[in-house]
């Protein structure tokens, strides 16, 4: 690998790492929203929890939680791939 190609790869790895940091920030915000929705549901009286609105809030909180887990796994996978590329380039 020549210096020019190595420099391009290193620049792209750095850009990808920066993107991952932004994705982790977004994930944290989504996790905070999921917590807020769950707290909203948990603090409702039982009668309201059983209502259509209460059930909707619970479904939203569960959907956030599920999506956040998937999102976090995807970020971890991309991060691992980027680390592998970085290690291969620096050998």
């Amino acid at each position: 690998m020549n210096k020019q190609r190595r420099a391009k790869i290193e620049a792209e790895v750095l850009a990808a790492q920066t993107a991952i940091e932004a994705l982790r920030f977004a994930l944290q915000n989504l996790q905070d929203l999921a917590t807020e929705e769950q707290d909203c549901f948990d603090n409702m009286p039982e009668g309201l929890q059983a209502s259509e609105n209460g059930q909707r809030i619970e479904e939203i909180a569960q959907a956030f939680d599920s999506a956040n887990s998937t999102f976090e796994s995807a970020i971890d996978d991309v991060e691992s791939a980027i680390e592998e590329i970085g290690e291969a380039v620096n050998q």
Side-chain angles (χ1 to χ4, degrees):
M1 172 181 318
N2 65 29
K3 285 183 181 183
Q4 185 179 18
R5 239 187 343 262
R6 180 184 301 268
K8 283 175 89 172
I9 291 170
E10 288 172 351
E12 292 304 320
V13 166
L14 181 60
Q17 289 169 335
T18 301
I20 286 174
E21 289 175 23
L23 289 171
R24 288 211 180 274
F25 181 76
L27 176 61
Q28 183 59 55
N29 289 338
L30 290 171
Q31 289 170 333
D32 291 346
L33 289 170
T35 299
E36 286 178 28
E37 284 297 309
Q38 188 62 51
D39 288 347
C40 179
F41 177 78
D42 292 344
N43 291 322
M44 288 179 147
E46 285 184 31
L48 288 177
Q49 285 180 351
S51 72
E52 186 177 322
N53 190 42
Q55 292 301 302
R56 185 165 180 257
I57 290 171
E58 184 178 36
E59 287 173 14
I60 290 168
Q62 290 171 350
F64 265 118
D65 194 41
S66 176
N68 287 342
S69 294
T70 301
F71 195 29
E72 188 168 19
S73 293
I75 291 170
D76 290 343
D77 290 345
V78 171
E79 192 170 41
S80 293
I82 290 168
E83 287 174 9
E84 287 179 29
I85 291 169
E87 290 172 5
V89 169
N90 292 316
Q91 285 183 356

